[in-house]
Amino acid sequence: MAQPAAPQDSLLELRDLARAFAAERDWGQFHTPKNLAMALTVEAAELAEHFQWLPTGADHELDARKREGIRHELADVMLYLIQLADKTGVDLRSAVLEKMELNRAKYPAEQVRGDMRKYNEY
């Protein structure tokens, strides 16, 4: 069964939670765009680590511990991404919608269906 769509303001709610969390700890001084981008990269690598050496990373290859680790790393990635967007003034929802339109033009479904090549290879 499909999950209900998140409210459009759910990213704003998460942004506000991340802002409050950092403010309570006086961490804003460390949350520069560079540091947040680096932290995001580290968390993405930690996420990838859960899939390392698995044949595909399909659900049947994951135990409860791996699923929990993946869930936590995805949360870390999302939090750093939201904080980086906040610090750089990027509206993530608008950016995603804009990028999807660019990708529609770059990868027309009727031309690329079932083809994994990059747009400049077909």
Side-chain angles (χ1 to χ4, degrees):
M1 182 171 183
Q3 294 280 3
Q8 288 187 5
D9 63 351
S10 62
L11 287 175
L12 297 177
E13 176 191 6
L14 294 176
R15 181 205 62 196
D16 292 345
L17 288 169
R19 280 180 179 175
F21 186 86
E24 289 167 356
R25 290 154 182 80
D26 193 27
W27 285 353
Q29 61 185 314
F30 310 117
H31 288 181
T32 64
K34 181 211 55 113
N35 286 349
L36 290 168
M38 292 177 71
L40 174 62
T41 302
V42 169
E43 295 301 337
E46 289 177 5
L47 172 61
E49 191 174 24
H50 289 282
F51 295 99
Q52 188 175 17
W53 310 121
L54 296 177
T56 65
D59 190 57
H60 69 275
E61 298 171 4
L62 306 171
D63 60 19
R65 195 174 110 237
K66 278 212 179 286
R67 282 189 191 90
E68 179 183 56
I70 290 165
R71 189 171 63 251
H72 291 170
E73 296 306 336
L74 282 167
D76 286 340
V77 167
M78 182 75 155
L79 283 166
Y80 279 123
L81 180 63
I82 288 170
Q83 290 176 89
L84 180 57
D86 188 26
K87 290 290 181 175
T88 57
V90 172
D91 175 336
L92 279 174
R93 185 175 187 283
S94 295
V96 167
L97 295 174
E98 177 184 343
K99 185 62 177 177
M100 290 301 298
E101 283 304 311
L102 292 170
N103 286 343
R104 273 188 191 85
K106 202 183 280 189
Y107 297 101
E110 61 281 352
Q111 185 175 359
V112 302
R113 184 172 284 106
D115 189 340
M116 66 179 199
R117 291 178 294 169
K118 193 170 177 173
Y119 67 93
N120 62 354
E121 297 176 341
Y122 59 84

